Amino acid sequence: MGLFFPQDEKRFTGVRSLGFARYREVLEGSWKALFLVGFVSLILFVPFAGGMVYAVLSKSALIAIVSGVVGGVFAGPGLGCLYDLILRRLRNDMSDWWTCWKKAFRQNLVISILTGMVQCVFMGLVVFSGALMLWGATAPSLGTIAILLVGSIFLAAILTVWWPQAVLFTQKLGIRLKNTLFFILFHPGRVFGGAVLQVVYWLIMFLFLPWTAFVVPILGDWYIVFLAVFFIYRPLNKDFKVEEQIRAAFPDNLPEEEYIP
């Protein structure tokens, strides 16, 4: 996964690159594990997707909400495990992906289910509204489209910061929400940049169905989530002292590293 460039033999040797070089070195060493965990996450989204198809065909918002609640019970743990593995790879924890998945599933099951339910309910309402607008008898106004897009971007921004905290820390929900809002306030460019990319990615996947159905099994949700978390990881690590706390608790788990341009 060298993106048509030769692989960097200096990967994970105590010196951590920045920018595109860092993006390359993480993907080169971890894309197989990310793909496998992402594929499991995609399978766990099937109940939600099936419910949403039925909700759109029956034009029932109630079914969309129920599909979000039920689907989130399955999708949430899969997403939690995906975020956990992405964060591990970004801090150069190269543990076996299946071992990481099982550990993350056990440790984060409750918070992942709750977060997954909330996320899938909102996602379901967005998809339901978008489908009705797209296939409705009359074209929606620009204001309606703008509200839907802006709401989706804000939801993606909140979830991008919420999920890493959910899988890294044991916190009260109020503290996690406060941390999320303050992090977005202090790092709006990185957070909203990743959020916009996520919304655009899924909008393309939705608008160009059924052709994009061939792409989803390959990229699934792992790549776009990785990209969003990659954008915020350095300030996230600095503000929440992620690697510092892990290194203090597990001295042999993480190597001492320095960043270079």
Side-chain angles (χ1 to χ4, degrees), residues 52-103:
M52 285 309 305
V53 169
Y54 182 66
V56 171
L57 293 177
S58 61
K59 298 182 179 180
S60 171
L62 179 60
I63 294 177
I65 294 173
V66 173
S67 298
V69 173
V70 176
V73 174
F74 297 92
L79 273 175
C81 293
L82 177 60
Y83 273 92
D84 180 86
L85 184 71
I86 290 172
L87 290 164
R88 286 178 183 274
R89 292 306 193 251
L90 286 173
R91 62 179 185 262
N92 285 353
D93 180 346
M94 303 302 292
S95 304
D96 175 67
W97 74 270
W98 181 238
T99 302
C100 294
W101 194 94
K102 291 186 292 184
K103 184 184 297 184

Side-chain angles (χ1 to χ4, degrees), residues 148-216:
L148 193 62
L149 285 176
V150 171
S152 300
I153 291 170
F154 270 94
L155 175 63
I158 291 172
L159 290 170
T160 300
V161 184
W162 179 280
W163 270 112
Q165 293 180 83
V167 301
L168 285 170
F169 310 116
T170 301
Q171 303 166 309
K172 293 182 179 179
L173 296 182
I175 294 176
R176 186 173 295 135
L177 179 60
K178 183 181 72 173
N179 289 343
T180 299
L181 296 177
F182 273 108
F183 187 88
I184 294 173
L185 181 64
F186 291 134
H187 308 284
R190 289 176 179 266
V191 177
F192 282 110
V196 169
L197 283 177
Q198 291 180 78
V199 171
V200 170
Y201 174 82
W202 288 115
L203 187 61
I204 291 173
M205 293 296 170
F206 177 73
L207 291 178
F208 289 94
L209 283 171
W211 298 280
T212 50
F214 297 100
V215 179
V216 171

Side-chain angles (χ1 to χ4, degrees), residues 232-244 259:
I232 69 167
Y233 183 73
R234 284 196 69 202
L236 186 82
N237 181 37
K238 181 179 178 181
D239 290 359
F240 293 103
K241 296 179 172 50
V242 175
E243 294 186 20
E244 182 180 322
Y259 281 101

